[in-house]
């Protein structure tokens, strides 16, 4: 009667059982697993198949079976000398197996797959064009930055050359006892000079509304004509003939 009694899962005997993988499990646990597996198999067998599944099974069964004499096409081939497993064609270079069927199971219309493929290709091409345009925009922005940076460097260099010319002009003019410059911007104004009224300042700005390059060109020409001095050579010549014969030119590019 003891064998008919249910096992006590809290007893020391049950807890001390070795349940490592690969060793026999407890009888009731094993029976429960087997019962569950049998129930799954029964449910799978009793499950009613869908129409598509039944059609696919019948189609696969027919395609796997070889053609027999009851098939009219196969019978005609046999009358013409064809044997099962032989390649088609006069010299036997044709196909051996029939052309496989490509059965459409979806509900979309004919040509839908081609349309979807074409749209995917167009989307990919548009993405590539966007990447190319973005790359061109980045390259153009980088070129514009380099041009602006180079222009700023050239402007700073011109401003330095202009200040250098203004200091030379002020020094040479005073050596000739010239107390007032020909143009107000020919000399560098003292930083601590008494400031004029705001109206006079505005008039002065409008009268000398010239770019740095224009001022530099005018001032270098004045230094050459009036003082026979070349800002690029840093030399004062004896006269205009000495200047023209010994000075390469009247610009920085001529002295490079």
């Amino acid at each position: 009667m003891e064998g008919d009694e249910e096992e006590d899962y809290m007893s020391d005997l049950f807890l001390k059982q070795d349940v490592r993988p690969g060793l026999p499990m407890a009888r009731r646990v094993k029976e429960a697993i087997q019962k569950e597996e049998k129930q799954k198999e029964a449910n799978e067998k009793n499950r009613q198949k869908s129409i598509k599944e039944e059609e696919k099974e019948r189609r696969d069964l027919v395609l796997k079976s070889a053609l027999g004499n009851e098939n009219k096409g196969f019978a005609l081939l046999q009358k013409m000398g064809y044997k099962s497993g032989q390649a088609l064609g006069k010299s036997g270079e044709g196909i051996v197996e029939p052309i496989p069927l490509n059965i459409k199971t979806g509900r979309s219309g004919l040509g839908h797959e081609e349309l979807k493929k074409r749209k995917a290709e167009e989307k990919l091409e548009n993405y590539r064009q966007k990447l190319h345009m973005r790359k061109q925009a980045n390259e153009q922005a980088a070129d514009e930055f380099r041009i602006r940076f180079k222009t700023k460097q050239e402007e700073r260099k011109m401003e330095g050359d202009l200040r250098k010319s203004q200091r030379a002009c002020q020094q040479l003019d005073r050596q000739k006892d010239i107390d007032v410059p020909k143009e107000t911007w020919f000399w560098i104004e003292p930083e601590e000079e008494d400031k004029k009224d705001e109206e006079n300042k505005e008039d002065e700005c409008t009268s000398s509304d010239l770019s740095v390059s224009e001022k530099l060109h005018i001032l270098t020409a004045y230094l050459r004509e009036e003082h026979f001095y070349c800002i690029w050579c840093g030399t004062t010549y004896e006269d205009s003939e000495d200047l023209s014969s010994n000075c390469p030119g009247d610009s920085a590019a001529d002295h490079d």
Side-chain angles (χ1 to χ4, degrees):
M1 298 297 290
E2 293 179 358
D4 296 335
E5 293 180 359
E6 294 184 358
E7 294 181 2
D8 185 5
Y9 293 101
M10 298 301 295
S11 65
D12 294 337
L13 181 62
F14 185 81
L15 293 174
K16 290 179 181 179
Q17 290 182 2
D18 197 346
V19 292
R20 289 176 295 175
L23 296 176
M25 293 183 294
R27 179 169 55 85
R28 290 188 180 276
V29 177
K30 188 175 182 180
E31 288 177 357
I33 293 174
Q34 290 176 352
K35 186 177 180 180
E36 185 178 355
E37 290 177 353
K38 289 179 181 180
Q39 186 66 35
K40 286 182 180 179
E41 291 177 359
N43 293 339
E44 188 66 25
K45 289 180 181 179
N46 296 330
R47 187 178 66 86
Q48 187 176 1
K49 297 180 180 179
S50 63
I51 297 175
K52 287 185 179 181
E53 289 176 340
E54 292 178 354
E55 288 179 352
K56 185 177 184 303
E57 288 182 357
R58 290 197 298 268
R59 184 169 59 248
D60 293 342
L61 182 62
V62 172
L63 291 174
K64 287 178 182 179
S65 60
L67 294 176
N69 295 329
E70 69 278 359
N71 186 280
K72 293 182 179 180
F74 187 72
L76 288 173
L77 286 174
Q78 283 183 323
K79 289 180 181 180
M80 293 164 50
Y82 175 78
K83 295 180 181 179
S84 181
Q86 182 182 351
L88 297 179
K90 186 176 180 180
S91 57
E93 296 179 354
I95 61 174
V96 178
E97 297 295 332
I99 298 173
L101 294 176
N102 186 12
I103 297 172
K104 186 176 180 300
T105 57
R107 302 183 63 183
S108 58
L110 295 175
H112 178 72
E113 294 298 326
E114 291 295 328
L115 178 63
K116 189 163 67 173
K117 182 180 178 182
R118 187 168 64 252
K119 285 185 177 180
E121 291 176 352
E122 290 176 355
K123 186 176 180 181
L124 179 61
E125 183 63 25
N126 291 335
Y127 177 71
R128 288 175 178 170
Q129 289 181 358
K130 287 181 179 179
L131 285 180
H132 182 66
M133 293 173 64
R134 191 180 301 170
K135 182 180 178 183
Q136 285 185 333
N138 292 336
E139 290 177 353
Q140 184 177 359
D143 292 339
E144 290 176 355
F145 173 77
R146 284 192 290 268
I147 292 172
R148 288 196 303 268
F149 183 74
K150 185 178 179 181
T151 303
K152 286 182 179 180
Q153 282 186 323
E154 291 176 352
E155 288 178 354
R156 291 194 194 100
K157 187 176 183 303
M158 282 187 185
E159 290 173 357
D161 292 337
L162 179 60
R163 288 193 294 271
K164 182 180 177 182
S165 301
Q166 287 172 329
R167 284 192 292 268
C169 180
Q170 186 174 1
Q171 183 179 357
L172 293 171
D173 282 349
R174 285 180 174 173
Q175 288 177 1
K176 287 189 174 183
D177 297 330
I178 299 175
D179 297 328
V180 179
K182 186 176 180 180
E183 296 288 344
T184 54
W185 52 268
F186 273 24
W187 292 4
I188 293 179
E189 297 181 2
E191 295 180 358
E192 298 180 356
E193 184 182 7
D194 295 334
K195 295 182 179 180
K196 300 179 181 179
D197 296 333
E198 293 296 330
E199 294 180 358
N200 294 335
K201 279 191 173 183
E202 291 178 0
D203 295 339
E204 183 179 345
C205 291
T206 54
S207 63
S208 60
D209 190 13
L210 299 172
S211 65
V212 175
S213 61
E214 290 173 337
K215 288 181 178 181
L216 182 62
H217 180 72
I218 294 171
L219 187 53
T220 51
Y222 170 79
L223 292 171
R224 292 174 70 88
E225 294 171 1
E226 184 68 24
H227 301 289
F228 311 117
Y229 178 77
C230 177
I231 187 65
W232 315 115
C233 298
T235 305
T236 302
Y237 295 90
E238 295 181 358
D239 50 27
S240 59
E241 184 177 354
D242 184 25
L243 176 64
S244 60
S245 60
N246 293 312
C247 183
D250 57 355
S251 66
D254 297 331
H255 290 75
D256 290 341

